[in-house]
Structure formats: structure tokens, C-alpha cells
Amino acid sequence: MQTVFEQLREKVILHLQTIYADIDLTKDYGTLADEILATMRLNSSNVGHITPHTNLWTEEDIVLITYGDSVIETTDDVVDSSNNPPLATLKVFLDKYCAKAINHVHILPFFPYSSDDGFSVIDYSTVNQGLGSWEHVQQITENFGLMADLVINHCSSRSAWFQQFINDQAPGNKYFYTASPDDDTSMVVRPRTSPLLRETETADGTKHVWCTFSHDQVDFDFRNPDVLIAFAEIIRLYLDKGTRIFRLDAIAFLWKKKNSPCINLEETHEAVRLFRTLIENVDPNAIIITETNIPNRQNLTYFGNANEAHGIYNFSLPPLLVNTLLTGDCTYLKSWMMSMPPAQNGTFYFNFIASHDGIGLRPAEGLLADEEIDSLVNCVQSFGGKVSWRSTEDGKQKPYEMNIALIDALQGTIEGPDQWQIERFICAHAIMFGLEGVPGLYIHSLLGTTNDYDKVVNTGQNRSINRHRWSYDKLVEELDDVHSLHHQVLTKLTQLLHIRRAQPAFHPNATQFTLQLGRKLFGYWRQSLNRQQSIFCVSNICNEVIEVNLSDINLIGTDEWIDLISQQHIVMEQGTIHLEPYQTVWISNMFDRD
């Protein structure tokens, strides 16, 4: 009978056989598996059984998304990173304002980088000195679970590996994917309009390096198993430093193959399965989330059979939810919700509305009509937003994402700005917080940060509009002012999170059922895993007062019901409740929490 470690080794070999089926390797699969397992420091003494379909999360799990320098100490408007590095300031902010509402923090790439606000990594093993050190990162992990990016598709053209490529020196000289300008790349799917190939002079002659995103972000060649081993070493380092959640950045583009779209290939999916196998055998509580900004059906495939990603970004939610609140019509959102399969145990949806990137429109393809997308884009532009574009296979330009701070995107409707901005913004989050899955909350949504036009001018990048950098003193001043927009938003959102985290029916895998309440009311029902608690989540998504018939919600008359948000008891005999514009109710039965 095989030992657990022998079973693991055999499983790794099977992963490798699938990944490299079409590649002539210089070493056999067993030798390669042994090198990878040794790199991960996995052996017969530290490998145990992994229980499949295990939920490693509860209703208490909330992730805050932030850059390491989203909040900084300043001295006379100059960043003071010597005595108060940004990661230390971030810890102060988290401990003071987030400890009771959030238990995980996604620190966006905190490594040395050359562009793309961290996603063009120069060195994967060290912390950007301008942010702090590994010690500062680990101090944050004392109170919060750490979510970190594994920027695995590409690295910086200024990295040591790419300099080795230019100098034709090992190991970097074989780390990057190259192609010929004469190759037919018409099928390649990309999120950018820049030329795909970067002409680079090397000691071995002129090379054309594959660049999915930008010419400063050079794509790795995973056909070389040494690249895989290098990333196994990086993964092990991140685990050693306390990473609990791995965000696999741009993972859909990992594997390239001639005469293919070079996205979502089977080799990529198998690589995710391999990373899952390695990571969970080092830490059974570690989690993988795939970042795949692609159409909804393709995105769902990264669950595999509960053997790929634990979680997938719910990329269709932001454009559909924003569209719902701007139009006052939840038809598209409701149709999508009804089509979404429940995440089986051991998997979850990672829900978000805003992030460091824009509001992606590819995940809305096939869900919103083209004219609906055009109307949405025009409305967001009228509210001061920017639009980033992509090229289609026939060379046409299509909107790829909308760049705008969420609070500004919700300042009005398609009819124009109005007085319901804060209510509409809170409504969006109340809807998201209650949905099946784990919520991810962007720091600039938590703080109600508005468009940063100066940063767009300074960087020349549309995405900078929603990447403001707060001075800690200025932020505290705003948050202490009860009349400020930022105080109101922080207070209301943290109150909602406190309520959410105490409800078993909001477990990420609890039952969810979409309610049919017409176009202007969006609702769904959640039921706890033990079936003791039911919550009916109903939101008025328009700027009119709406009367809700309790019979339409189908509350059980023998139970007592309460709106968890307002703490108002629901009197069944009244027959109706009225919802103010953009008001949400979480109607829960009274049950024995023991």
C-alpha cells in the first residue's frame, strides 16, 4: 500500500504529464516531481491527508483590498518612509478602523516593481523598500489573514531574469516566451491594444518576446519546467511569510500555444491544479483564488471539479450591479443570478464591486446587450470616468473596462446626478455583502474615496483614478468629522459588516434563491447550512418609494421576523413594508443561535 507521500508524488507526476504532454523534456516526470516536492520542502514526514470539499471559510470572512501605500504618513507633504514605512501605517489604520469588521487583508503587490502599480515585479523575494519589509508584512498577519498576489504570467523587463535573457545567461535566457513576427497570432485574446511582441536585442541575436499586457511585462515560458520550479520556490517563501490566500494574477494567459487563443488552455487549468496540490499539502488551510477577467462561463471553469481554485473572482457582479443601480432595473442582474450555479462545498465566489482595476466589461459580454453596455459606458463617462479599450480579432476597438471611483460611478442614474449618492452606494454594498460567497471590499470603497484626477495626469494611466493615496493625518481628520462623506460611508459599511458577520445564513456556501419581485426590487433568500436561519434580502434599486407585499416575499407567518439592519420587527398583519429609495432590508427569522 502506498504511503500518503507516495500518493502525493504520483499525483504531482500526473499533473506534470498533462501539462507537458506535448513538450520534449530533458528529464523524466519522476525526477521533475522530486525536484518540485523538494523545493516545496514536502516529504514523507510532513504530508498528511487532505479532506476534499472542505469549507475553509465562514460568514465572518471579509477581505479588504488595498495597496501597501494607500495610507501613508507624510511630513510637509513628503512621504516619510524612513521612520513610518507605509506598511506600518497601514497596520495602524487596519487595527484602528477595521479590526471589528474585517479579518483578511489583500495587500496588492508589495514587491519591487517597474510599472503597473506593482504588477510588473522586479524581485519576487523581497518587499519594496519604499513600503517596508517582510517584518512589517508579518506584523499585519498577527491580526489579519494575508492575501498576496502571485504575479505568475509575467515579470518586469528590469528583473534580473530578463537581464539574463538579454545577456544569454542562465537561467533567465530560457525563462521567457518568444515568437516570430511571421507567426499567425490573429487568434490570440488580449486585454490590451499594444503590440503583442517586443523586439529585443540579446547576446543570442534579435528576439521577439511575448507581452500579453505591456512591453515592460514580459511573459514567462512555462514550457520550461525550470520556470515552474522557480515559482514553486516563490510559493513556498510566501507560505513561510504567512500568506493564507494566494491570488493567481492573470492566470488565464499562463500557457501559450501556436494557432490558439492562448487563454484558458488545458495546460493552464492543469497548472492551477498542480499549484493547488502543492499549496494545500504545505498548509491545508491555504486558499487559491483565480483572477480571470473573462466572460462568465469561462470564469466558472476555474473551479474545476473542486480541484482547481477554491475561489473565483465574481467578475460579472460589478458591471451588472452598477448597471442595475444606474438604470433602476434589475432584470439583467436577476437573470444572471438565476443562472449562476451554487458553489459546491470546498469552493466559493469572491464577490466585489470595486478594486484597484476598473469595472471590467468583458465579464458582462453575453449578459448585457451591446446597447446596454454602450449606455452604461456613456453614463460613467458623464460622471467623470475613463474608459480603457481592447482590440477584437477583427481589429475593432471595444470597451474593456470603466475606470472610476465607485462612489462617483453611483452619484446618479442614467438621467444624471441626484441626491441619492450615498444611499445608492450603500445599497450596492448591502446587496454584495449578503450574496453567496466571500466579500472583497476595496479600501477606497470603505472610505468613500472619490476620483483622483491629479493622479491620472501624473501617471498617464486611467486606472490611477481609483488609486488615491491618503495622508493618514488627513484621513483621520475626515473620519473624525461626522459630517464628512468619508465618515458616513465608513460608519455605514462597518455597521453592515458587523451585522453580516454574525449571521449563519450569510455563510459563503449557504443556500441562495433569487426572488421575483419585479424590476425595481432586487431580492434573494439565504438559508443557513443547518437550516435554522433564513434571511430575505430585499433592496429598492430605484429612486422611488416602493411598497413591498410581504406575501410576495413568502415569510412564514408562524415565525417572528426582524430587519437586521434597522432592528425593526416585521408585523405580518400589516401586509406590506415600504422601502425608501435604495433602502435594503435583511429580514431574518428569530431563531435559537445556540
Side-chain angles (χ1 to χ4, degrees), residues 297-471:
R297 287 191 178 184
Q298 298 174 27
N299 191 29
L300 289 169
T301 64
Y302 282 86
F303 277 142
N305 184 24
N307 61 348
E308 289 190 40
H310 296 87
I312 62 172
Y313 271 73
N314 216 345
F315 272 109
S316 297
L317 178 61
L320 290 175
L321 183 49
V322 170
N323 181 74
T324 292
L325 291 164
L326 294 184
T327 62
D329 186 338
C330 67
T331 301
Y332 289 103
L333 178 63
K334 186 165 56 178
S335 296
W336 167 73
M337 280 268 291
M338 293 173 63
S339 72
M340 289 292 280
Q344 61 179 302
N345 282 335
T347 66
F348 66 91
Y349 292 109
F350 186 66
N351 297 323
F352 71 108
I353 319 173
S355 72
H356 60 292
D357 290 341
I359 299 171
L361 293 172
R362 285 217 72 202
E365 293 176 8
L367 302 174
L368 288 178
D370 287 345
E371 57 269 22
E372 198 80 13
I373 291 177
D374 290 341
S375 175
L376 177 61
V377 168
N378 291 335
C379 181
V380 167
Q381 286 180 309
S382 74
F383 290 161
K386 310 289 184 181
V387 177
S388 297
W389 302 82
R390 70 178 181 91
S391 297
T392 62
E393 293 179 13
D394 56 4
K396 294 182 179 179
Q397 300 288 292
K398 291 194 70 173
Y400 173 69
E401 69 178 16
M402 302 179 296
N403 305 109
I404 191 169
L406 185 63
I407 190 108
D408 283 315
L410 297 176
Q411 66 185 266
T413 68
I414 55 175
E415 302 299 325
D418 60 24
Q419 74 271 32
W420 303 107
Q421 180 181 28
I422 293 180
E423 290 82 1
R424 190 179 293 110
F425 181 77
I426 299 303
C427 177
H429 287 89
I431 290 173
M432 189 262 282
F433 290 162
L435 288 176
E436 173 191 357
V438 173
L441 178 61
Y442 189 38
I443 189 171
H444 293 306
S445 294
L446 179 66
L447 299 173
T449 310
T450 55
N451 290 335
D452 190 334
Y453 296 110
D454 290 340
K455 195 165 186 179
V456 173
V457 172
N458 290 337
T459 66
Q461 302 295 321
N462 286 348
R463 286 177 168 177
S464 296
I465 199 169
N466 196 24
R467 297 179 179 179
H468 182 70
R469 183 180 292 159
W470 277 100
S471 160

Side-chain angles (χ1 to χ4, degrees), residues 237-252:
L237 172 67
Y238 293 1
L239 286 164
D240 291 342
K241 297 298 185 180
T243 300
R244 167 81 194 286
I245 306 173
F246 286 82
R247 176 185 182 271
L248 302 190
D249 176 66
I251 187 66

Side-chain angles (χ1 to χ4, degrees), residues 513-578:
F513 182 81
T514 307
L515 302 178
Q516 302 299 320
L517 302 173
R519 294 185 299 110
K520 296 182 179 181
L521 290 173
F522 178 69
Y524 50 91
W525 170 67
R526 303 295 309 278
Q527 185 183 59
S528 61
L529 297 175
N530 64 8
R531 300 186 179 182
Q532 288 189 10
Q533 185 186 26
S534 287
I535 301 179
F536 292 86
C537 305
V538 182
S539 296
N540 179 358
I541 49 87
C542 73
N543 54 14
E544 308 168 12
V545 176
I546 302 290
E547 292 291 325
V548 182
N549 290 317
L550 295 177
S551 58
D552 291 341
I553 302 177
N554 200 26
L555 300 183
I556 299 173
T558 56
D559 286 356
E560 292 184 62
W561 299 89
I562 187 172
D563 171 23
L564 297 169
I565 297 175
S566 68
Q567 288 296 297
Q568 295 295 311
H569 286 262
I570 306 299
V571 180
M572 299 292 292
E573 289 74 17
Q574 289 182 347
T576 64
I577 57 173
H578 81 273

Side-chain angles (χ1 to χ4, degrees), residues 94-377:
L94 292 170
D95 289 344
K96 182 173 182 178
Y97 293 102
C98 302
K100 295 182 179 179
I102 286 160
N103 63 340
H104 295 279
V105 57
H106 173 199
I107 308 177
L108 290 154
F110 46 81
F111 314 103
Y113 70 97
S114 55
S115 64
D116 200 16
D117 278 358
F119 286 92
S120 184
V121 178
I122 294 175
D123 182 357
Y124 288 83
S125 64
T126 62
V127 174
N128 183 347
Q129 290 183 353
L131 296 178
S133 66
W134 277 117
E135 181 181 0
H136 293 110
V137 172
Q138 290 179 291
Q139 286 172 353
I140 291 174
T141 67
E142 293 172 1
N143 296 326
F144 299 89
L146 174 64
M147 178 170 168
D149 290 275
L150 189 67
V151 185
I152 196 168
N153 177 72
H154 53 261
C155 72
S156 168
S157 64
R158 289 174 49 195
S159 66
W161 284 336
F162 196 68
Q163 293 308 305
Q164 291 169 355
F165 175 84
I166 291 173
N167 296 328
D168 194 25
Q169 297 173 341
N173 59 341
K174 299 186 184 301
Y175 270 23
F176 298 94
Y177 194 92
T178 60
S180 167
D182 297 327
D183 290 342
D184 182 2
T185 58
S186 59
M187 293 177 63
V188 175
V189 174
R190 297 179 62 222
R192 299 290 186 272
T193 58
S194 58
L196 175 62
L197 300 181
R198 163 189 163 141
E199 184 175 303
T200 304
E201 297 301 325
T202 78
D204 190 36
T206 302
K207 307 278 187 176
H208 293 86
V209 182
W210 194 281
C211 299
T212 300
F213 292 91
S214 79
H215 282 192
D216 185 46
Q217 294 166 296
V218 285
D219 283 32
F220 290 112
D221 187 355
F222 274 86
R223 294 175 303 177
N224 176 4
D226 289 342
V227 177
L228 181 62
I229 293 172
F231 270 92
E233 186 173 358
I234 292 165
I235 289 170
R236 180 68 215 214
L237 172 67
Y238 293 1
L239 286 164
D240 291 342
K241 297 298 185 180
T243 300
R244 167 81 194 286
I245 306 173
F246 286 82
R247 176 185 182 271
L248 302 190
D249 176 66
I251 187 66
F253 303 96
L254 184 76
W255 197 268
K256 287 83 176 171
K257 186 182 293 186
K258 286 186 178 181
N259 301 315
S260 82
C262 297
I263 187 173
N264 304 324
L265 299 183
E266 176 54 31
E267 291 88 347
T268 294
H269 282 282
E270 193 65 36
V272 176
R273 295 178 197 122
L274 172 60
F275 298 140
R276 164 83 173 256
T277 295
L278 297 174
I279 288 171
E280 69 183 4
N281 274 278
V282 174
D283 182 356
N285 292 313
I287 293 168
I288 288 176
I289 301 179
T290 48
E291 187 266 336
T292 46
N293 192 355
I294 52 180
N296 190 56
R297 287 191 178 184
Q298 298 174 27
N299 191 29
L300 289 169
T301 64
Y302 282 86
F303 277 142
N305 184 24
N307 61 348
E308 289 190 40
H310 296 87
I312 62 172
Y313 271 73
N314 216 345
F315 272 109
S316 297
L317 178 61
L320 290 175
L321 183 49
V322 170
N323 181 74
T324 292
L325 291 164
L326 294 184
T327 62
D329 186 338
C330 67
T331 301
Y332 289 103
L333 178 63
K334 186 165 56 178
S335 296
W336 167 73
M337 280 268 291
M338 293 173 63
S339 72
M340 289 292 280
Q344 61 179 302
N345 282 335
T347 66
F348 66 91
Y349 292 109
F350 186 66
N351 297 323
F352 71 108
I353 319 173
S355 72
H356 60 292
D357 290 341
I359 299 171
L361 293 172
R362 285 217 72 202
E365 293 176 8
L367 302 174
L368 288 178
D370 287 345
E371 57 269 22
E372 198 80 13
I373 291 177
D374 290 341
S375 175
L376 177 61
V377 168

